[in-house]
Amino acid sequence: MDRRSFIKRTGVASLGIGLNYHKTFSVTKNNISNPLVIATWNVKNATEKAWQILSKKGNSLDAIEQGCMVEESNEQGQSVGIGGLPDRDGNVTLDACIMNHKGDCGSVVYLKNIKHAISIARLVMEKTPHVILAGDGAKKFALSMGFKEENLLTEKSKTDWINWKKKEKYKPIINIENHDTIGMLAIDKNNNISGGCTTSGLAYKMQGRVGDSPIIGSGLYIDNEIGGAVATGLGEEVLKTVGSFLIVELMRQGYSPTEACKIAIQRIVNKPGSNYKNFQVGYIAVNKNGDTGSYAIQKGFSMTKYDKNGNKNISSLFFEKI
Ligand code: SD4
């Protein structure tokens, strides 16, 4: 195609987009004021905690922080907080971010020895002029805020790491079935949306690796006029497609949360040479009307939802079946 015909074609194409661009998000349930919380995977204790706050007319940001903290404290969960699987060199390093209804956000990356990464992310948002603090600086800031250092490598995770080291077989392939990296979205009684995401990241990652979870737009995005989205799974693929921002922008165009998550998954799957059969990515989303949805590459992903109808784990739609 020469330059002239390219311009001609793109001109026509953009005109077409302009003419067809009639789908936009509209708030149809102005009076929902029914709080709800959704989270990635089966994390009923976490959604229960968030619901306790929301149902007492608490705000969505507090619900997110407290809900995520439940999983960060759970030593059995090997992909978040204490008990998280370490990097190849035995360091447990945490990534987390949080975003409120005003569009403010905070994040920590490569945080060591402080289990409540989500709380430090919130403090970065509220008490510093920055959005992201990393590594030693993030820890120094956490200590200055009164947090205590602790060893996050539990005996179980240490044993698993030692066993892994015998083979040192590293494939950046995410465990498909069993996750509790937590991404959470909540709407409070004032219809304000907040979200958070907290993880120890990919097991046996290279030292210094940071995933999608603390990166605003990739692991999490909120626009209080439209809705929010959060990701789980192989962070590299989410980062390459800026998944959560994409989903919110698709919802702005009028796509439902499920449709928007599905299109974001298709972006990953349809990339040239994508080896999507070997990894998992899952998204969940909520819009301002309180509609929720999820979509994943592989079978096995689920979303936990707590609203006035109770606390439920809901299997996600997934790509391979459709
Ligand atoms: C990461 N997205 O660090 C995270 C891992 C994850 O469920 O979500 N696991 O890539």
Side-chain angles (χ1 to χ4, degrees):
M1 203 189 322
D2 62 20
R3 187 171 167 269
R4 221 189 134 111
S5 55
F6 174 76
I7 292 170
K8 227 170 138 185
R9 275 219 210 171
T10 49
V12 171
S14 50
L15 184 66
I17 288 167
L19 290 174
N20 293 329
Y21 189 80
H22 57 269
K23 262 182 117 174
T24 48
F25 178 74
S26 55
V27 177
T28 53
K29 298 176 200 160
N30 258 328
N31 56 348
I32 59 165
S33 47
N34 281 324
L36 70 86
V37 55
I38 55 173
T40 54
W41 308 102
N42 191 359
V43 287
K44 282 193 176 168
N45 291 340
T47 46
E48 164 95 50
K49 182 74 201 174
W51 181 255
Q52 280 169 16
I53 292 160
L54 295 169
S55 60
K56 288 188 192 120
K57 305 191 195 318
N59 71 60
S60 54
L61 191 67
D62 289 339
I64 292 294
E65 181 185 4
Q66 299 276 327
C68 288
M69 284 170 72
V70 169
E71 286 303 313
E72 289 176 336
S73 302
N74 173 9
E75 293 196 13
Q76 311 310 317
Q78 287 189 297
S79 51
V80 58
I82 192 162
L85 287 168
D87 66 18
R88 300 171 184 198
D89 303 303
N91 307 296
V92 180
T93 66
L94 306 182
D95 292 340
C97 72
I98 200 160
M99 193 160 184
N100 69 15
H101 69 282
K102 294 187 274 185
D104 296 325
C105 43
S107 150
V108 285
V109 306
Y110 202 76
L111 176 68
K112 287 200 248 178
N113 297 104
I114 308 277
K115 93 180 145 206
H116 289 308
I118 195 74
S119 303
I120 315 305
R122 179 172 179 172
L123 289 166
V124 170
M125 173 174 83
E126 292 178 342
K127 307 272 187 222
T128 80
H130 307 303
V131 170
I132 306 178
L133 287 182
D136 289 347
K139 183 155 95 182
K140 193 172 161 190
F141 172 66
L143 296 176
S144 78
M145 290 284 128
F147 285 76
K148 297 272 171 289
E149 280 194 72
E150 64 184 304
N151 176 22
L152 302 181
L153 187 62
T154 54
E155 280 310 309
K156 161 110 181 68
S157 289
K158 191 172 175 184
T159 308
D160 289 351
W161 168 60
I162 289 166
N163 286 336
W164 173 83
K165 267 171 80 76
K166 287 179 191 150
K167 289 196 189 141
E168 291 222 355
K169 208 167 149 222
Y170 178 74
K171 288 194 262 168
I173 284 180
I174 207 98
N175 173 353
I176 287 164
E177 280 81 34
N178 179 20
H179 271 274
D180 26 35
T181 288
I182 180 161
M184 193 180 253
L185 304 166
I187 307 186
D188 61 29
K189 63 146 195 350
N190 293 321
N191 284 352
N192 284 329
I193 309 173
S194 302
C197 192
T198 180
T199 186
S200 53
L202 207 53
Y204 319 128
K205 58 198 174 185
M206 287 175 70
Q207 190 175 147
R209 181 264 188 189
V210 170
D212 62 309
S213 302
I215 305 301
I216 298 295
S218 288
L220 170 74
Y221 197 69
I222 304 289
D223 180 327
N224 202 45
E225 300 293 307
I226 306 296
V230 68
T232 181
L234 185 59
E236 279 71 7
E237 297 298 322
V238 177
L239 282 164
K240 287 177 204 168
T241 48
V242 199
S244 295
F245 183 73
L246 172 63
I247 291 168
V248 172
E249 292 310 302
L250 287 163
M251 292 195 294
R252 190 189 307 278
Q253 291 172 29
Y255 290 97
S256 72
T258 305
E259 288 167 342
C261 291
K262 182 177 175 182
I263 296 170
I265 289 294
Q266 284 169 335
R267 285 276 170 101
I268 296 172
V269 165
N270 292 337
K271 274 173 57 199
S274 174
N275 67 339
Y276 68 90
K277 291 207 162 101
N278 293 328
F279 60 81
Q280 175 68 303
V281 172
Y283 291 112
I284 64 171
V286 63
N287 69 17
K288 190 74 174 174
N289 288 324
D291 304 320
T292 59
S294 69
Y295 208 87
I297 297 176
Q298 316 275 353
K299 189 176 176 186
F301 180 53
S302 66
M303 164 174 89
T304 308
K305 176 174 180 175
Y306 206 145
D307 63 6
K308 61 181 186 331
N309 300 316
N311 199 6
K312 298 195 176 102
N313 184 245
I314 304 161
S315 295
S316 178
L317 295 172
F318 57 97
F319 176 78
E320 285 205 297
K321 201 174 172 185
I322 290 186

